[in-house]
Amino acid sequence: MKHLLDIGVLTPDDLHHLMALTDHMVEVNQRPIPKVPALRGKTVVNLFFENSTRTLTSFDTAARRLSADVMNFAVSSSSVNKGESLRDTIETISAMGVDAFVVRHKSSGAPMQVTKWTNASVVNAGDGWHQHPTQALLDCYTIRTHLNRRTGFDGLHIAIVGDIKHSRVARSNVQAFTALGAHVTLVAPPTLLPPAVETWPVTVSHDLDSLIAKVDVLYLLRMQRERMVDALVPSLREYTGAYGLTPLRAARLRPHALVMHPGPMNRGVEMAVDPSELPGSMVLHQVTNGVAVRMAVLFELLGSGADLATSA
Ligand code: CP
């Protein structure tokens, strides 16, 4: 694997392989000194043209735990603000000697474009509405671990609720969850569903209350107000009333059901309970697993033959 741009190109075997590699990274992260020399001498550049808390810091942590050198490119203080193009930015940084670019961009397809301007590996850290492959991997890993599903997701029912239309997480997760065998239901008002949703391998519902007591995983999405150009819901209060996780709905979840959210959360909108009070909340486990999954991805792309047993 040279690049990770799109979760949809990975086979179920590829997904299982990356999750097995993540098991090793979890073990590394539990050591007193959570660091291995696997990527010593490699340089990873985090190039984020959109804001991020979780993805940026976890790629940074992941690369350092594998002993890579890390450059965090600060777009706001760079020559991008003087009109430098994405191509010139990539070619300039590549000329310094780079092994991997981790790219987040508001335009769908930007990480794919980057692969044409560098010999380095490229990881898509979220592009527009399109893809967020490492989020899908960490979500699969979290479900695999917490529902003890090491061999696959056959028989699992996962509901993804909310702003599907603008969500790269929904697109990536539907592909990964269904590839592993889960049944996925998208739950949203018609205005927040994507065009041609009937071609997706899912069922669609507009009625969260009829489903909530049946699902194994309730995956809530953020209302992406920054990507909405029209008024797609009458009001956030009405949205919460129909699709938010309220205390009444939380009380109807099955005892083993997981509640997941990629973050950042809109508290009081889609997450109308305190997730720290939900026994099944995976919100912080997802963040923890994000570091190990991103270590696995960087190791897979850059670390062939390196040793994970030795501490740095
Ligand atoms: N889930 C996710 O991509 O979060 P950030 O935007 O904080 O990276």
Side-chain angles (χ1 to χ4, degrees):
M1 197 163 83
K2 166 90 174 172
H3 308 295
L4 179 58
L5 303 174
D6 185 332
I7 200 78
V9 303
L10 300 186
T11 65
D13 281 350
D14 294 331
L15 296 170
H16 285 298
H17 167 71
L18 284 169
M19 290 193 283
L21 195 48
T22 302
D23 285 335
H24 291 293
M25 300 306 174
V26 168
E27 184 275 316
V28 168
N29 288 339
Q30 287 166 347
R31 295 181 193 172
I33 299 173
K35 193 160 180 165
V36 287
L39 297 190
R40 189 175 286 160
K42 304 284 186 186
T43 300
V44 175
V45 178
N46 290 316
L47 191 61
F48 278 58
F49 290 86
E50 254 191 358
N51 294 341
S52 169
T53 299
R54 281 145 284 267
T55 313
L56 175 57
T57 51
S58 62
F59 267 113
D60 182 272
T61 305
R64 291 179 202 279
R65 288 191 179 170
L66 296 171
S67 301
D69 295 319
V70 182
M71 273 190 237
N72 286 315
F73 178 81
V75 172
S76 61
S77 57
S78 75
S79 292
V80 170
N81 288 335
K82 300 178 197 161
E84 188 159 60
S85 69
L86 179 59
R87 178 177 184 156
D88 286 336
T89 302
I90 296 298
E91 289 180 348
T92 299
I93 299 174
S94 282
M96 297 178 199
V98 168
D99 297 286
F101 283 99
V102 178
V103 180
R104 171 168 286 190
H105 203 283
K106 67 178 186 313
S107 297
S108 297
M112 166 64 89
Q113 283 296 115
V114 170
T115 65
K116 297 182 179 150
W117 302 321
T118 179
N119 290 323
S121 291
V122 178
V123 184
N124 182 354
D127 61 332
W129 301 4
H130 177 223
Q131 277 283 318
H132 195 348
T134 58
Q135 180 71 46
L137 283 170
L138 75 89
D139 289 332
C140 288
Y141 187 79
T142 302
I143 293 168
R144 172 188 187 261
T145 306
H146 286 268
L147 291 181
N148 198 18
R149 288 298 190 122
R150 294 184 70 82
T151 56
F153 293 175
D154 285 345
L156 276 190
H157 188 181
I158 302 176
I160 302 179
V161 185
D163 182 4
I164 318 280
K165 178 175 177 157
H166 300 97
S167 176
R168 57 195 175 211
V169 173
R171 284 172 179 76
S172 305
N173 280 7
V174 164
Q175 289 177 325
F177 294 162
T178 56
L180 290 173
H183 175 72
V184 175
T185 301
L186 303 180
V187 189
T191 49
L192 293 181
L193 287 169
V197 70
E198 65 282 358
T199 64
W200 292 31
V202 297
T203 51
V204 173
S205 169
H206 309 301
D207 183 5
L208 179 59
D209 289 318
S210 69
L211 278 174
I212 194 142
K214 299 178 188 162
V215 298
D216 302 292
V217 178
L218 183 72
Y219 196 103
L220 302 170
L221 293 171
R222 182 171 70 89
M223 288 292 281
Q224 299 198 33
R225 282 173 276 187
E226 76 278 16
R227 296 196 210 275
M228 288 186 187
V229 287
D230 309 309
L232 297 177
V233 290
S235 71
L236 289 179
R237 213 170 113 234
E238 283 183 55
Y239 176 83
T240 305
Y243 296 99
L245 183 58
T246 59
L248 279 178
R249 290 198 177 105
R252 296 185 56 222
L253 285 164
R254 296 163 87 186
H256 71 269
L258 307 183
V259 175
M260 302 178 71
H261 193 300
M265 291 183 285
N266 290 308
R267 285 181 186 259
V269 182
E270 71 271 1
M271 186 67 85
V273 287
D274 181 349
S276 69
E277 292 177 3
L278 298 175
S281 172
M282 292 291 110
V283 171
L284 294 179
H285 294 294
Q286 288 169 266
V287 176
T288 303
N289 290 336
V291 175
V293 158
R294 286 162 179 138
M295 288 169 75
V297 167
L298 292 174
F299 182 80
E300 182 70 17
L301 296 179
L302 303 180
S304 58
D307 174 20
L308 286 176
T310 319
S311 290

